[in-house]
């Protein structure tokens, strides 16, 4: 149990009082005992003088009168009286019968007797073997009328002294007990008064420690406690200012870390992660808290741990590219910086740049250049070959054949023109500089117009075009020319890849604030492996069949960009052999 400051202060007061009481008790006990003993001795000396005078007047023969004198004097002064002859023999004793005197020891060499013979008065305190108790002895010389000399000794039992001492101890004990009670009361009062300011300071300090930094300690005095209050207030202000600064810095740092597109990781020297940002979690697909956990528990990427071991081994800043394996494949450019304190490596800071999109973009660019080159090479080669044949004389020698050659040249020139036009359109859409003139458009009318442009092609293949599920009351907010381009492209593809006597259906359904338009055919379908890439430029499911059916390979890519520029989404579902459904969303528009 923790003792409070008030209790400690109260106990200190009490201990001080007890210590002083013990000292006073010991001093008074000793002093009073000496004083009482001295008073008894002085009284006994006076009584001895008085007894000597009485004996001088009454005694004529020492051995005959000594017992009577001792008895008479002892009765008067209420003390034991002993008369000792010059040779040390006891000739009279108030406590011993005359018959028993001869049995007493020789008293010549008793201390008090020797002192009286030498100095005139002798005293001693010792145990009396005759009376079996401690006694106070006082002796002085005695001269009788007949000229005999002796020693008169008075003895007083120290029982009175013991009684006085016990009474004195009782009084001192009572006084000390009362003093302790008074000390308890006054120490309680004084400790309350003294510790009140400290308790106030302690309570406010505890609240400040819990985050209430606006509190201040009232200064109630100008002593050390008051100075402590001033120091506490100053400390509280400084802590509040520093925490505000730290909080602002932390918020700025958190904002910076959250806004970073690159992943950031900080570890200590033992490989324990101390800080990561959201981008790191996204790169390594981490959802749970990772601070305080070893790096090896957070990610199982071998390349990551190999790079970490290298930086911890040599402590040299490095940059390197690594590939991620697992649920999320990709390429990461890492920048490792060691944290060095003096000559000691204390941790590592790593920045992760996800360059997967850059890699894919570079690959797409290479594929695009290759595809454009391939698409251009074929018609250019055909045009060049037929033109060379015509220039070689076929134009004059075989006019019919020359006319066919010119028709082929014309067809491939148109294909080149369409390819270039689609490339320009796609470039404009990707640049984001195309201005859309959006208006509320009746969807059923727009679909009908697109179908009318392709109706002859559908009729030639016996394909049925169905728009019965598109209601006349459905409107979309779109650019009319771009919407026509989307519908014509999707319907044209559906007709191309649907066998004879098939069916193409256009449907529309509400999706909150959007309208979902779907074009469904009963054609060849698209294999599942090709669905993710179906909207890429120049991507064809079947190169040979796609070229036979015409087209530049850019139509679906153009459709995707047009839909996205309108704020919509495009998707495809397909079952090989059963057909495909291309769906896109547009914002609803009022009439």
């Amino acid at each position: 149990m923790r003792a409070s400051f008030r209790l400690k202060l109260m106990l200190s007061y009490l201990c001080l009082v007890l210590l002083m009481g013990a000292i006073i008790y010991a001093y008074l006990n000793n002093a009073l005992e000496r004083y009482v003993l001295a008073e008894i001795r002085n009284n006994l000396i006076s009584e001895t003088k008085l007894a000597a005078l009485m004996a001088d007047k009454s005694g004529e023969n020492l051995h005959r009168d000594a017992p009577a004198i001792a008895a008479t004097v002892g009765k008067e002064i209420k003390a034991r009286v002993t008369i000792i002859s010059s040779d040390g023999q006891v000739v009279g004793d108030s406590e011993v019968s005359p018959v028993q005197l001869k049995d007493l020891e020789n008293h010549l060499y008793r201390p008090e007797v020797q002192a009286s013979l030498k100095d005139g008065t002798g005293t001693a305190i010792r145990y009396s073997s005759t009376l079996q108790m401690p006694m106070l002895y006082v002796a002085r010389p005695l001269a009788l009328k007949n000229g005999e000399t002796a020693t008169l000794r008075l003895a007083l039992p120290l029982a009175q002294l013991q009684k006085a001492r016990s009474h004195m101890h009782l009084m001192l004990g009572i006084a000390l007990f009362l003093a302790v009670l008074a000390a308890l009361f006054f120490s309680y009062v004084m400790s309350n008064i003294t510790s009140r300011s400290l308790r106030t300071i302690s309570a406010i300090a505890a609240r400040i420690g819990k985050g209430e930094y606006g509190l201040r300690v009232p200064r109630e005095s100008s002593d050390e406690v008051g100075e402590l209050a001033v120091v506490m207030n100053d400390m509280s202000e400084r802590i509040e200012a520093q925490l505000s600064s730290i909080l602002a810095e932390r918020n700025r740092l958190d904002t910076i870390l959250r806004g970073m597109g690159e992943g950031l990781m900080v570890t200590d020297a033992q490989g324990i992660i101390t800080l990561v940002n959201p981008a790191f979690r996204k790169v390594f697909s981490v959802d749970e808290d990772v601070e305080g956990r070893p790096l090896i528990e957070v990610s199982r990427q071998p390349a990551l741990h190999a790079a970490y071991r290298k930086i911890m081994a040599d402590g040299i800043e490095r940059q390197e590219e690594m590939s991620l394996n697992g649920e999320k494949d990709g390429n990461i450019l890492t920048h490792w910086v060691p944290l060095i304190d003096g000559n000691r490596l204390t941790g590592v800071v790593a920045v992760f740049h996800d360059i997967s999109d850059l890699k894919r973009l570079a690959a797409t660019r290479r594929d695009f250049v290759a595809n454009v080159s391939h698409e251009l090479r074929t018609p250019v080669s055909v045009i060049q070959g037929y033109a060379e044949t015509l220039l070689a004389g076929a134009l004059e020698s075989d006019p019919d054949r020359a006319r066919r050659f010119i028709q082929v040249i014309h067809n491939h020139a148109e294909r080149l023109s369409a390819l270039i036009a689609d490339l320009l359109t796609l470039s404009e859409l990707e640049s984001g500089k195309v201005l859309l003139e959006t208006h509320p458009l009746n969807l059923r009318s727009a679909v009908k117009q697109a179908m009318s442009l392709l109706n002859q092609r559908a009729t030639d293949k016996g394909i049925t075009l169905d728009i019965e599920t598109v209601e006349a009351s459905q409107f979309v907010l779109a650019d009319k020319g771009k919407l026509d381009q989307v519908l014509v492209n999707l319907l044209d593809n559906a007709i191309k890849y649907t066998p004879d006597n098939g069916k193409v259906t256009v449907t529309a359904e509400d999706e909150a604030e959007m309208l979902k338009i779907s074009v469904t055919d009963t054609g060849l379908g698209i294999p599942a492996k090709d669905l993710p890439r179906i909207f890429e430029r120049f991507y064809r499911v079947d190169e040979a069949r796609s070229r036979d059916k015409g087209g530049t390979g850019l139509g679906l890519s153009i459709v995707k960009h047009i839909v996205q520029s309108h704020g919509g989404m495009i998707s495809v579902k397909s079952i090989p052999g059963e057909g495909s459904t291309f769906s896109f969303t547009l914002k609803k528009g009022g009439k």
Side-chain angles (χ1 to χ4, degrees), residues 23 58 81 164 206 219 225 230 236 285 294 337 345 361 389 437 440 570:
I23 294 173
S58 304
V81 179
R219 183 177 182 180
V225 177
V230 173
S236 179
S285 302
V337 180
L345 183 63
L361 181 60
T389 302
E437 297 182 1
I570 189 167

Side-chain angles (χ1 to χ4, degrees), residues 11-75:
L11 290 177
S12 66
Y13 288 152
L14 182 59
C15 290
L16 180 61
V17 170
L18 289 174
L19 179 61
M20 293 178 62
I23 294 173
I24 294 173
Y25 178 86
Y27 173 76
L28 289 179
N29 181 48
N30 188 37
L32 289 175
E33 185 174 349
R34 290 198 307 270
Y35 173 75
V36 171
L37 183 60
E39 285 296 317
I40 294 174
R41 183 184 289 113
N42 292 334
N43 290 337
L44 197 58
I45 290 173
S46 299
E47 290 178 352
T48 304
K49 292 179 180 179
L50 179 60
L53 291 175
M54 292 174 61
D56 288 345
K57 294 178 180 180
S58 304
E60 295 180 354
N61 186 290
L62 180 62
H63 289 276
R64 182 193 66 195
D65 298 334
I69 293 171
T72 302
V73 175
K75 182 179 180 181

Side-chain angles (χ1 to χ4, degrees), residues 416-428:
L416 279 176
S417 177
L419 178 61
I420 293 172
D422 285 347
L423 286 173
L424 291 175
T425 301
L426 187 60
S427 176
E428 289 179 357

Side-chain angles (χ1 to χ4, degrees), residues 168-234:
M168 181 181 62
H169 286 174
L170 178 61
M171 296 303 293
L172 288 176
I174 293 174
L176 183 60
F177 177 72
L178 294 176
V180 170
L181 290 180
L184 281 173
F185 174 74
F186 286 108
S187 63
Y188 177 77
V189 175
M190 293 301 296
S191 63
N192 272 341
I193 295 174
T194 305
S195 63
R196 181 173 56 197
S197 299
L198 294 178
R199 289 199 306 272
T200 302
I201 293 175
S202 176
I204 294 178
R207 293 174 64 185
I208 291 175
K210 293 179 180 179
E212 299 181 37
Y213 303 109
L215 294 177
R216 297 294 179 265
V217 179
R219 183 177 182 180
E220 299 177 351
S221 61
S222 57
D223 55 6
E224 287 81 357
V225 177
E227 292 297 325
L228 177 61
V230 173
V231 173
M232 286 288 297
N233 291 336
D234 182 63

Side-chain angles (χ1 to χ4, degrees), residues 528-561:
K529 66 180 182 65
D530 296 310
L531 289 177
R533 301 187 61 188
I534 196 67
F535 294 104
E536 291 182 11
R537 290 168 292 188
F538 296 113
Y539 186 80
R540 291 183 173 90
V541 176
D542 187 335
E543 290 284 343
R545 294 185 63 182
S546 296
R547 292 186 187 280
D548 292 341
K549 295 180 180 298
T552 62
L554 298 174
L556 289 178
S557 181
I558 292 173
V559 167
K560 182 187 75 172
H561 283 85

Side-chain angles (χ1 to χ4, degrees), residues 281-439:
R281 300 175 186 273
K282 181 179 180 181
V283 169
F284 291 96
S285 302
V286 177
D287 297 326
E288 69 275 9
D289 292 334
V290 299
E291 285 83 354
R293 294 173 56 189
L295 176 60
I296 195 170
E297 292 183 5
V298 175
S299 175
R300 299 293 182 180
Q301 297 292 336
L304 177 65
H305 297 291
Y308 174 78
R309 286 192 295 270
K310 287 180 183 178
I311 191 69
M312 292 300 295
D314 54 32
I316 299 175
E317 181 178 350
R318 68 174 66 246
Q319 288 186 357
E320 60 183 55
E321 184 178 328
M322 66 175 63
S323 298
L324 299 182
N325 300 317
E327 295 182 1
K328 183 179 180 181
D329 295 336
N331 297 92
I332 304 295
L333 179 63
T334 61
H335 186 187
W336 299 84
V337 180
L339 297 176
I340 299 176
D341 183 7
N343 295 324
R344 186 168 61 93
L345 183 63
T346 60
V348 174
V349 176
V351 180
F352 302 90
H353 304 264
D354 189 350
I355 58 174
S356 302
D357 292 339
L358 293 178
K359 289 282 187 178
R360 283 193 292 270
L361 181 60
T364 302
R365 184 180 293 111
R366 290 193 299 270
D367 291 344
F368 176 73
V369 172
N371 288 331
V372 169
S373 300
H374 180 72
E375 294 292 336
L376 291 176
R377 183 171 61 248
T378 300
V380 168
S381 298
V382 172
I383 292 174
Q384 182 179 3
Y386 279 91
E388 289 176 352
T389 302
L390 290 174
L391 291 175
L395 185 61
E396 293 84 4
S397 61
D398 191 351
D400 293 334
R401 185 182 178 193
R403 187 176 296 106
R404 290 196 304 273
F405 284 3
I406 293 172
Q407 184 62 45
V408 171
I409 292 173
H410 177 74
N411 291 339
H412 282 277
E414 285 185 341
R415 183 180 177 189
L416 279 176
S417 177
L419 178 61
I420 293 172
D422 285 347
L423 286 173
L424 291 175
T425 301
L426 187 60
S427 176
E428 289 179 357
L429 290 172
E430 289 181 340
S431 68
K433 296 180 180 179
V434 177
L435 296 179
L436 299 177
E437 297 182 1
T438 58
H439 303 282

Side-chain angles (χ1 to χ4, degrees), residues 234-245:
D234 182 63
M235 181 180 67
S236 179
E237 291 177 0
R238 291 177 181 271
I239 291 176
E240 186 176 11
Q242 290 176 359
L243 286 179
S244 297
S245 176

